[in-house]
Amino acid sequence: MSYPRNTYRENIVEEFIELDKPLSEMIGGAVGSSWYHIGGIRKQRDTEQVIAWTDIYILPQFASLTSEPEHSQVMVFEQIEKKYGTRIDRAEVDVYAVGAPAHIAKKLQLKPHDPCLVIVRRYFDDQDKLFEITFTYHPENKYTYKMEFKSGSGN
């Protein structure tokens, strides 16, 4: 589930946080646990069209990756794998539609409750420890997710 090479993420928020009860329920981490929050807009490079807002939560020990030169171009989980050697053993992906919450609508230049496709990704290491979770909001008609499945039978 990568983005085309002609897109990039512009970080608007970079902060260390402790999870309160609502964030704890969203992320699946313990209340009071420490995380690093990256909030950013994904844009198309040629048109500067906004195609998504993403809230990324990573373990605090990975926070320095935001200073890497390729940070705006490369998916965060790939940067964590490359820089820190943490490998994804398992990932969970939820996809659903919502009316854009007011705070997200503002970031995406939408009206509150305009349709959005939300993709939530949770990445776990080989100890089944959650190390990254992302919430990405895509305005209607700005993103298409394509999948292809092929039979392994060889026919």
Side-chain angles (χ1 to χ4, degrees):
M1 295 186 73
S2 297
Y3 288 95
R5 295 279 181 221
N6 70 338
T7 68
Y8 68 98
R9 186 184 57 257
E10 178 183 319
N11 291 352
I12 309 298
V13 177
E14 293 184 29
E15 62 186 354
F16 290 96
I17 63 167
E18 286 188 4
L19 299 185
D20 58 15
K21 187 167 176 45
L23 265 178
S24 170
E25 291 171 358
M26 282 179 54
I27 291 175
V31 172
S33 62
S34 296
W35 290 79
Y36 191 70
H37 173 220
I38 303 165
I41 294 174
R42 182 160 294 277
K43 297 180 179 180
Q44 286 186 336
R45 186 166 300 287
D46 50 349
T47 64
E48 294 298 307
Q49 180 182 36
V50 173
I51 61 170
W53 172 267
T54 302
D55 284 303
I56 304 166
Y57 299 90
I58 57 178
L59 294 177
Q61 64 262 33
F62 304 136
S64 68
L65 64 82
T66 60
S67 63
E68 296 294 317
E70 75 278 356
H71 177 67
S72 69
Q73 295 287 292
V74 179
M75 299 292 281
V76 170
F77 73 85
E78 292 177 35
Q79 294 174 58
I80 290 171
E81 286 186 323
K82 181 179 176 184
K83 183 172 182 175
Y84 300 99
T86 299
R87 299 282 175 232
I88 297 171
D89 184 68
R90 178 172 73 87
E92 298 174 353
V93 180
D94 299 328
V95 180
Y96 56 90
V98 297
H103 70 287
I104 298 294
K106 183 176 180 180
K107 294 169 181 167
L108 292 173
Q109 303 164 357
L110 302 174
K111 295 177 187 156
H113 310 294
D114 277 358
C116 278
L117 177 70
V118 180
I119 301 176
V120 180
R121 300 173 183 95
R122 292 177 182 87
Y123 300 100
F124 298 83
D125 66 14
D126 60 358
Q127 305 297 308
D128 207 37
K129 182 178 181 181
L130 178 67
F131 67 89
E132 178 184 344
I133 182 167
T134 66
F135 299 88
T136 305
Y137 296 81
H138 300 88
E140 180 180 30
N141 298 321
K142 301 284 174 137
Y143 178 76
T144 300
Y145 176 63
K146 296 180 183 181
M147 288 190 291
E148 178 179 326
F149 297 96
K150 183 170 170 75
S151 168
S153 67
N155 292 335

